[in-house]
Amino acid sequence: MSDILRLDHVSYAYPGGRPVLRDVSLAVTAGRSIGLVGQSGSGKSTILKLLLGLMRPQTGDVLFDGARLDLSDRQMMRTYRKSVQAVFQDPYASLDPRQKVQAIVSEPLRALGIGGDRRAMVVAALRSVGLDGDILDRYPAAFSGGQRQRIAIARAIVAGPRVVLADEAVSALDLTTKVRVVDLFRDLARKTTLLFVSHDLGVVASLCDEIVILEGGRIVETGPTRAVLAAPAHAYTQQLLASVPRLPDFLAGASSP
Amino acid sequence: MSLLKVRDLSVAARGRNLVDSVSFTLDAGERLGIIGESGSGKSLTATAIIGLLPPGLSATGSVLLDGHEVIGAREGELTALRGAVAATVFQDPLTALDPLMRVGRQIGEVWERTERRAGRPHGKGDTRAAVFSLMDEVSLPEPERIAGAFPHEISGGQRQRVAIAMALACRPKLLIADEPTTALDVTTQKETLALLARLVADHGMTLLFISHDLPVVAGIVDRVVVMRTGVVVEEGPVRQVFATPTHAYTRELLVAAERFDRALGAA
Amino acid sequence: MTAVVASAPRRGASWTWRIGLALVGLHVVVGLLTLVWTPYDPGAMTGGRLSPPSLAHWAGTDRLGRDVLTEVMIGSRIALQVGIGAVSIGAAIGITIGIIAAFATRWRDDALAATLDILIAFPTLLIAMLVVAASEQASLGTAILALGIALSAVVARLTRILAKRVIQTDYVTAARVSGSSWLAIVREHVLPNIWPTLSVNLALQFGLAVIAEASLSYLGLGAPPPNASWGRLLQEAQGTVYSAPFGAIVPGLALVSLTIGVNLFADGLRDLADPLRRGRG
């Protein structure tokens, strides 16, 4: 078992603001998909920004394959970018409206100078997310939210990353679309390691091996998803679980074909 | 007598029907949910009911709200209907509130308008008392502080409670809630739903609850209408629709919702 | 899977930009024509002084007996040279500064923004006059450089605001996470996304530059004869405007038609500059 990414006693506060992360430690282990659950203000997006190398922690370290991540080390960052890719929440905002699908999906290949038949790599990435290879010359406006999110996932996997970080990546999708995209992430989690940030316990429960519960910038509970949900130890986890609206009992099994 | 009677309601934009021949009725005291995904026309249906369609959209058919026809009515008649008969709580309380006015004042204005229309004389002190009583009804803590705050100075859940208090100040017969908890955290959502359910029961209000979230809808209404691409695909009591869905789309929604529900284990 | 074809909103794009295009096109054709042919030799005394329009001199002659139409046609070429030159210089400097400011750290950006605001507070003409005054001799090149520098502050400020908006989008964050360099982000995301709005502004700046150069020439700070601009023609015709009004009216109309043309054309440019609005959405 090796930790690809680690947060080691990380704290963070925005200038002049109260701390958003307090002594957070967590590990992303190869092959174990991990769900980061918290409500607004829990610090989950800050953790993500740190893991994406978009900012530095004020105290503590972000470790990549055991080495301290240095944002100014070009060689290291290149390896890091190749290894760690991301999918964002809003598929309408995360695709450049003025780029064609080909340019969008091939961006990591261009940026990282990955050679070879880029077009074939883009088509392969699109196919693996259930999209046809003949959409290369179209703009994002031609696609629905679910299709856009598939394009965004294709971009994240085209360079063959070891970890995919997903930021509320299904929250903006309709329920029926959400199910399909969650299935896609589940397939993805078999090939790479997935860190899935979400406020939606149901989605994380159906997708992640491990769960991390955040509250007010602290990790309050962590463990295997099933175990934590079956017997939440922390009062906050219990409250969170009890707040999730549930389907009525009379439904049970009724809709199964 | 039914409080709301929608017959063959269509909403069109540039010759295309976004809502297509929607019909349903809502009896006084009933709680009806409209379930739908984006593009289903659920929110447009709600806006057409109160005659607030944005420019460029036109409604045809009939909407009888407390016996008054909404489609084709003059703005003056509609203004009287909105508030007195129907009040709406929207998804995003931040855009529904005036950012430059203290929230106590916003609740007070609605209350004063309602009193004026009813022809009841009132003084400054009456408004103040009414605002605090409304804030108490929606369980807003520290009424003094929150009444004096601007919308951005309070939490999302508190803002939605302010919006609910404003709706309540109209003493409406029909409360339309359009995705009222979608923007809220799950713990706040639970409290807000409980509040809405209590207020509807206490005041004998009729509820039209619009949402994409099946478990949320199931928990608060008696009857549901399922919409897809502007058309009603299924309608009936919650128990019936959820336990024995007849339309393939309803089944698809339920299968999807069940997936995430089951993953959480036993409730 | 069915693709949802989004209909791109078409706003502002009415037929009026075609009139603009026609007016600008007329000046371009005339300006190019003067390179090979003019009714008379520029600067040549061709007839009686201050003669009214006739078959020989469609727009009459000026106080030295030169053909007004010839001078005005050459003025078209000068005006286009000024517009294209000044806007090119202004865009090159302005876009560069604007992008640097947009990407700069907080205090550097603040300093640049404040500097630009101060520069913009000075009238374009005043800055241009100072630049011309600082140079040895008034020439067309100096005037173009001066106007380019003067309008670069406006371009820089607009670019900075537009670029900042683009930099904050999720797709730029996605580009950073993809490993794209700042330069790649500017080339692939920032420039294509600010260009539709920026190009409209540059077209308006073109019109302003033409007017500003006319003003400089009017003040005697522009290009010397024989390559006289409309501003100098106006100034020369000033003394005889009552006896021979055509000497002022024709260059005046030329100036107005080009600036109106450019402004009308700018409305349609937004659509032409944007791949999303061109043809299929």
Side-chain angles (χ1 to χ4, degrees), chain A residues 39-40 174 180 246 251 255, chain B residues 38 185 242 252 258 261 265:
Chain A
Q39 306 199 68
S40 49
D174 275 326
R180 297 193 195 106
R246 301 298 299 263
L251 186 84
S255 65
Chain B
S38 55
D185 275 330
F242 276 45
E252 193 188 348
E258 251 193 307
D261 193 70

Side-chain angles (χ1 to χ4, degrees), chain A residues 39-40 174-176 178-180 182-183 201-202 205-206 239-240 242-248 250-251 253-256, chain B residues 37-38 185-187 189-190 214-216 218 239 242-243 252-265 267:
Chain A
Q39 306 199 68
S40 49
D174 275 326
L175 181 59
T176 47
K178 190 188 284 187
V179 172
R180 297 193 195 106
V182 165
D183 281 338
L201 265 179
S206 63
Q239 190 202 353
L240 205 58
S243 300
V244 179
R246 301 298 299 263
L247 283 167
F250 55 73
L251 186 84
S255 65
S256 308
Chain B
E37 298 185 302
S38 55
D185 275 330
V186 63
T187 47
Q189 165 170 276
K190 190 184 186 190
L214 275 70
V216 165
R239 182 177 273 272
F242 276 45
E252 193 188 348
L253 281 177
L254 282 162
V255 169
E258 251 193 307
R259 260 270 306 269
F260 300 124
D261 193 70
R262 279 222 192 104
L264 289 171

Side-chain angles (χ1 to χ4, degrees), chain C residues 10-188:
Chain C
R10 291 187 64 80
R11 54 162 192 266
S14 61
W15 50 273
T16 49
W17 71 270
R18 291 170 199 277
I19 296 180
L21 184 64
L23 286 171
V24 175
L26 179 71
H27 281 279
V28 171
V29 169
V30 168
L32 288 174
L33 183 65
T34 60
L35 292 172
V36 292
W37 179 83
T38 47
Y40 294 90
D41 278 349
M45 318 295 166
T46 57
R49 297 177 177 188
L50 297 172
S51 56
S54 63
L55 275 177
H57 302 279
W58 291 8
T61 57
D62 66 6
R63 61 196 166 101
L64 295 174
R66 292 172 302 196
D67 180 51
V68 171
L69 186 62
T70 300
E71 303 290 323
V72 170
M73 282 170 69
I74 289 169
S76 283
R77 190 180 78 211
I78 305 294
L80 291 169
Q81 271 177 277
V82 166
I84 292 168
V87 166
S88 302
I89 293 168
I93 301 174
I95 292 174
T96 309
I97 294 177
I99 298 255
I100 289 171
F103 276 98
T105 54
R106 179 91 179 270
W107 70 266
R108 283 196 196 126
D109 174 42
D110 286 350
L112 271 169
T115 313
L116 291 175
D117 284 341
I118 291 168
L119 279 175
I120 287 163
F122 287 94
T124 305
L125 199 58
L126 183 63
I127 298 179
M129 283 166 68
L130 291 174
V131 175
V132 172
S135 66
E136 298 276 304
Q137 193 194 349
S139 73
L140 188 61
T142 321
I144 290 173
L145 183 68
L147 290 169
I149 290 169
L151 66 85
S152 68
V154 181
V155 176
R157 184 162 74 164
L158 181 65
T159 302
R160 173 178 163 270
I161 292 165
L162 294 173
K164 272 197 166 240
R165 214 178 288 157
V166 174
I167 289 167
Q168 283 159 4
T169 59
D170 283 359
Y171 57 82
V172 167
T173 308
R176 289 175 66 188
V177 172
S178 294
S180 293
S181 63
W182 292 113
L183 218 55
I185 288 172
V186 168
R187 194 178 60 236
E188 295 195 6

Side-chain angles (χ1 to χ4, degrees), chain A residues 52 54 81 84-86 88 93-99 107-108 110-112 137-139 141-144 147 150 155, chain C residues 1-6 169-171 173-181 188-189 192-193 196 274-277 280-281:
Chain A
L52 286 172
L54 297 173
R81 295 296 180 212
V84 182
Q85 288 282 324
F88 298 90
S94 69
L95 308 183
D96 187 335
R98 291 186 168 80
Q99 277 191 330
E107 183 160 43
R110 284 196 309 283
L112 299 165
D137 288 327
R138 294 164 78 177
Y139 290 100
F143 300 95
S144 67
Q147 290 171 319
R150 285 170 194 269
R155 169 177 59 193
Chain C
M1 279 218 159
T2 53
V4 180
V5 177
T169 59
D170 283 359
Y171 57 82
T173 308
R176 289 175 66 188
V177 172
S178 294
S180 293
S181 63
E188 295 195 6
H189 299 290
N193 279 289
D274 191 343
L276 290 183
R277 288 161 186 263
R280 182 173 65 93

